């Protein structure tokens, strides 16, 4: 497809700091290459704002190749914008029409407070992870090679699929209840499926769910929005597995 | 419960929601089988079967025990649902300016609280109309049949042991029986007593059939009640179309092999069950 240039209108959430009220601002951006990524388009807008001596828009980004989970953005009413299995850095301007108005908002969740403009604080995910998303390994000279433990191929694959979660928070952002269960389900499943994770399995699921509740995430009502918006295609099966794990753990 | 509270944790609330919901699905099947008796086309057969069902539902001890589980399930499902909804609203204090929810969810799954509230309103009014009268109405009519004997029409009470007692031989109370010299009288609303020996000789049916048919065939509001009933069943169908399969997911009963079947079964179950419920008042109003 040949490179095209489009002119777009942007409605972007601007918020000075965590305490400020914030509002939607409208910008016009001309000559946007359809080959540029969504973040490159925002870079272009920021250059324009800097040239106009205005405050550039703050937004999260890091690797720009879809693996770090830093970029967020609720674009035109969907996490990471239209198209499936992509992060915002993998979204390209060819997905938009000339003259289109694009809405850009931060993730909305009590547990993800806005720090500035489109940047939110996702450290609640870190605290959930710290509550149990790990395996204890003996490092006092007795470390066992991970490959020495035989693991069923199907389990290894499903564990790997769960581990593909990059913790971007799209599941929370797109859930009508602001629930983090796809994230926690993936983190629980990733270890629950492996022999190395079995030892701490019960404490892990109880502690991670408790931390999730304390952070103020909502409750899952199985609408399935998270699975569709997840850039890594994490399956709802992981939530079911967490539900099973939690049920057995809380009864024993 | 090692580290968790059986009621408080987010997952425990989901388990209760799922278990009470699934139990209420089972209740619906039982209720439907009873209601379908109204569709019998043979003379007196529908009334007889329906009143037998009503008696069974209010007297059998096992059914009674189950009915208390049902009341508790409805209450718990509603309270838990409201609690979950309030918490979920709090989880997103500031909403999106633009939100394209239909891109990733079904309408029913997003509106379970609304659908559930409408179902609850239906249940309350439905119980006031039928359940309440069956249980507490002192003027609940007793089941009678009109039979022609030697060219003359006569009314009979039909007893639970399938005897036919002429209505004109029965007094409404013992005093009335003495005054009028009738041989039998009614005590405790459904018990038939012998006036001389003062012993119970038979048990009569409450006529829930008449209450039901009369309710939907009212000249002014009958059609409105039929329409409201059908709409309520559509609401219930939407509620179940998400709720049935959802409860399996909440309990963790998910498997790549079986889950697609559960999803389809849930959809068929919600449509077929609610359709059969809805047909009955339509039949009563337009055909009967």
């Amino acid at each position: 497809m040949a490179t095209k240039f489009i002119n777009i209108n942007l409605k972007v959430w601007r918020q000075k700091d965590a305490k400020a009220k914030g509002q939607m601002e409208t910008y016009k951006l001309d000559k946007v290459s359809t080959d540029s990524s969504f973040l490159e388009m925002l870079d272009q807008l920021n250059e324009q704002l800097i040239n106009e001596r205005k405050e550039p828009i703050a937004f999260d980004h890091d690797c720009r190749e879809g693996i770090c989970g830093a970029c967020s953005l609720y674009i035109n009413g969907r996490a990471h914008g239209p198209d499936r299995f992509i992060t915002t850095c993998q979204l390209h301007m060819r997905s938009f029409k000339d003259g289109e108005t694009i809405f850009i908002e931060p993730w909305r969740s009590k547990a993800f407070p806005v720090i500035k403009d489109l940047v939110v604080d996702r450290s609640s995910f870190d605290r959930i992870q710290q509550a149990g998303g790990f395996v204890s390994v003996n490092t006092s000279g007795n470390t066992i090679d991970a490959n020495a433990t035989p693991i069923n191929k199907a389990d290894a694959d499903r564990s790997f699929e769960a581990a593909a979660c990059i913790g971007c928070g799209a599941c929370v952002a797109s859930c009508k209840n602001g629930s983090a269960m796809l994230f926690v389900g993936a983190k629980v499943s990733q270890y629950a499926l492996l022999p190395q994770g079995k030892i701490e399995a019960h404490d892990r699921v109880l502690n991670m769910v408790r931390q999730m509740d304390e952070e103020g995430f909502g409750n899952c009502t199985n609408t399935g929005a998270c699975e569709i918006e997840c850039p890594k295609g994490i399956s709802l099966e992981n939530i079911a597995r967490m539900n099973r794990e939690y049920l057995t753990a809380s009864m024993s | 419960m090692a580290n968790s509270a059986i009621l408080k944790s987010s997952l425990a609330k989901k388990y209760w929601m799922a278990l009470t919901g699934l139990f209420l699905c089972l209740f619906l099947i039982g209720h439907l089988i009873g209601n379908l008796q109204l569709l019998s086309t043979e003379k007196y057969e529908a009334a007889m079967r329906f009143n037998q069902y009503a008696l069974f539902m209010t007297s059998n001890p096992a059914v009674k025990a189950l009915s208390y589980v049902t009341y508790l399930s409805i209450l718990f499902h509603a309270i838990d649902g409201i609690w979950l909804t309030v918490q979920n609203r709090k989880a997103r204090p500031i909403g999106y300016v633009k939100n394209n929810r239909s891109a990733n969810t079904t309408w029913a799954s997003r509106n379970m609280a609304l659908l559930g509230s409408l179902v609850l309103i239906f249940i309350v009014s439905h119980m006031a109309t039928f359940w309440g009268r069956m249980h507490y109405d002192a003027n609940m009519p007793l089941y009678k049949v009109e039979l022609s004997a030697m060219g003359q029409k006569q009314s009979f009470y039909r007893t639970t042991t399938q005897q036919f007692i002429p209505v004109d031989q029965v007094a409404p109370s013992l005093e009335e029986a003495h005054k009028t010299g009738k041989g039998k009288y009614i005590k405790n609303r459904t018990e038939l007593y012998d006036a001389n020996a003062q012993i119970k000789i038979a048990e009569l049916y409450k006529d829930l059939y008449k209450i039901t048919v009369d309710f939907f065939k009212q000249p002014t509001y009958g059609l409105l009640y039929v329409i409201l009933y059908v709409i309520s069943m559509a609401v219930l169908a939407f509620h179940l179309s998400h709720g049935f399969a959802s409860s399996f997911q909440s309990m963790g009963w998910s498997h790549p092999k079986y889950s697609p079947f559960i999803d389809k079964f849930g959809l068929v179950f919600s449509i077929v069950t609610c359709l059969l419920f809805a047909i009955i008042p339509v039949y009563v109003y337009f055909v009967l």
Side-chain angles (χ1 to χ4, degrees), chain B:
Chain B
M1 300 259 107
N3 267 328
S4 69
I6 194 154
L7 282 168
K8 274 179 76 186
S9 96
S10 54
L11 291 198
K13 284 202 282 290
K14 290 180 59 177
Y15 300 146
W16 284 111
M17 213 56 193
L19 289 176
T20 50
L22 279 179
F23 178 79
L24 291 172
C25 284
L26 282 177
F27 159 76
L28 277 182
I29 297 173
H31 195 328
L32 179 63
I33 292 169
N35 285 15
L36 286 174
Q37 308 307 315
L38 284 163
L39 292 182
S40 182
T41 46
E42 268 176 75
K43 207 183 180 192
Y44 299 127
E45 198 62 12
M48 187 62 224
R49 285 200 200 157
F50 191 66
N51 287 333
Q52 272 177 335
Y53 152 73
L55 179 70
F56 175 74
M57 292 307 280
T58 45
S59 59
N60 184 291
V63 174
K64 257 192 173 168
L66 277 179
S67 73
Y68 289 115
V69 181
T70 310
Y71 307 146
L72 282 176
S73 292
I74 293 170
L75 274 179
F76 204 97
H77 197 79
I79 293 167
D80 203 25
I82 293 165
W83 190 7
L84 280 165
T85 308
V86 169
Q87 270 195 335
N88 292 346
R89 292 264 161 93
K90 280 191 190 155
R92 176 164 296 135
I94 303 168
Y96 293 105
V97 175
K98 181 161 177 162
N99 210 346
N100 185 5
R101 293 235 175 277
S102 55
N104 49 36
T105 45
T106 61
W107 182 85
S109 75
R110 294 195 300 274
N111 292 285
M112 288 302 274
L114 170 72
L115 292 166
S117 305
L118 292 175
V119 171
L120 185 65
I121 293 170
F122 168 77
I123 292 173
V124 171
S125 59
H126 184 73
M127 283 178 83
T129 335
F130 301 113
W131 179 89
R133 291 201 65 182
M134 185 72 192
H135 281 263
Y136 301 110
D137 187 359
N139 301 316
M140 182 80 188
L142 293 166
Y143 177 43
K144 287 176 224 164
V145 283
E146 296 270 329
L147 296 176
S148 298
M150 288 177 287
Q152 279 200 321
K153 275 201 172 173
Q154 211 184 342
S155 281
F156 293 89
Y157 286 121
R158 194 160 171 179
T159 71
T160 55
T161 48
Q162 309 312 322
Q163 290 169 290
F164 290 86
I165 312 287
V167 171
D168 52 22
Q169 290 178 13
V170 182
S173 67
L174 178 59
E175 290 148 39
E176 283 291 317
H178 285 321
K179 245 187 250 174
T180 53
K182 287 180 182 174
K184 298 177 187 74
Y185 68 97
I186 292 166
K187 200 176 160 184
N188 299 331
R189 286 155 65 187
T190 56
E191 292 167 8
L192 189 69
Y193 272 69
D194 184 281
N196 298 320
Q198 292 190 18
I199 50 165
K200 186 178 167 183
I201 47 176
E203 178 83 26
L204 304 174
Y205 291 107
K206 288 180 180 175
D207 202 353
L208 189 64
Y209 177 82
K210 183 175 155 48
I211 296 280
T212 310
V213 172
D214 286 355
F215 178 76
F216 287 113
K217 282 179 101 74
Q218 286 176 58
T220 25
Y221 293 116
L223 186 61
L224 177 70
Y225 292 144
V226 172
I227 292 167
L228 283 176
Y229 191 97
V230 171
I231 291 172
S232 301
M233 287 308 106
V235 168
L236 181 62
F238 274 106
H239 192 73
L240 293 179
S241 74
H242 175 70
F244 187 90
S246 180
S247 55
F248 283 82
Q249 166 78 6
S250 288
M251 291 309 294
W253 300 331
S254 165
H255 192 279
K257 232 185 237 175
Y258 309 111
S259 292
F261 170 76
I262 292 168
D263 290 352
K264 281 189 205 103
F265 181 83
L267 205 59
V268 172
F269 173 80
S270 50
I271 294 169
V272 170
T273 310
C274 297
L275 194 66
L276 287 172
F277 269 116
I279 282 171
I280 296 162
V282 174
Y283 168 82
V284 168
Y285 187 84
F286 289 103
V287 184
L288 211 64

Side-chain angles (χ1 to χ4, degrees), chain A residues 40-251:
Chain A
E40 284 164 345
M41 180 277 290
L42 283 176
D43 293 338
Q44 193 181 332
L45 174 64
N46 275 346
E47 271 181 49
Q48 180 180 307
L49 288 174
I50 290 164
N51 285 335
E52 292 168 1
R53 302 275 180 266
K54 286 182 189 158
E55 175 87 8
I57 300 162
F59 62 92
D60 265 324
H61 59 97
D62 189 14
C63 76
R64 298 210 178 194
E65 55 184 17
I67 53 157
C68 75
C71 58
S72 51
L73 305 187
Y74 212 70
I75 302 159
N76 275 350
R78 292 182 71 178
H80 299 304
D83 301 344
R84 286 189 70 179
F85 309 124
I86 53 157
T87 53
T88 301
C89 61
Q90 294 169 304
L91 175 67
H92 284 77
M93 294 312 293
R94 65 181 77 97
S95 298
F96 300 91
K97 289 191 286 288
D98 190 31
E100 192 172 340
T101 300
I102 305 167
F103 285 76
I104 311 172
E105 296 172 73
W107 285 171
R108 292 295 188 191
S109 161
K110 190 186 166 204
F112 289 166
V114 173
I115 300 169
K116 185 184 163 83
D117 294 339
L118 301 168
V119 181
V120 296
D121 178 2
R122 283 173 280 191
S123 57
S124 48
F125 267 14
D126 298 339
R127 289 188 290 275
I128 295 174
Q129 190 74 3
Q130 283 154 10
F134 51 80
V135 285
S136 301
V137 177
N138 190 348
T139 53
S140 56
N142 303 315
T143 314
I144 300 164
D145 187 324
N147 292 325
T149 313
I151 296 168
N152 177 309
K153 174 79 168 99
D155 286 340
D157 285 352
R158 278 180 294 157
S159 171
F160 189 83
E161 281 161 21
C165 170
I166 51 176
C168 65
C171 45
V172 176
S174 48
C175 174
K176 80 179 243 295
N177 310 317
S179 168
M181 293 212 190
L182 193 67
F183 169 76
V184 182
K187 296 302 174 193
V188 165
S189 293
Q190 171 187 341
Y191 299 110
L193 286 158
L194 301 178
Q196 290 93 332
K198 289 272 193 299
I199 304 143
E200 291 151 312
H202 280 189
D203 287 342
R204 176 181 305 113
V205 69
L206 293 173
N207 291 336
M208 289 182 87
V209 168
R210 196 200 57 233
Q211 190 63 36
M212 170 181 80
D213 290 350
E214 277 175 19
E215 296 291 346
F217 290 105
N219 305 287
C220 175
T221 54
N222 306 319
T223 67
C226 54
E227 183 185 52
I228 290 176
E229 298 302 341
C230 175
K232 298 296 157 189
I234 306 284
S235 159
L236 287 179
E237 259 180 65
N238 293 297
I239 298 183
R241 187 176 295 105
M242 170 181 68
N243 295 347
R244 277 202 298 278
E245 290 275 322
Y246 188 86
L247 191 58
T248 28
S250 47
M251 299 231 251

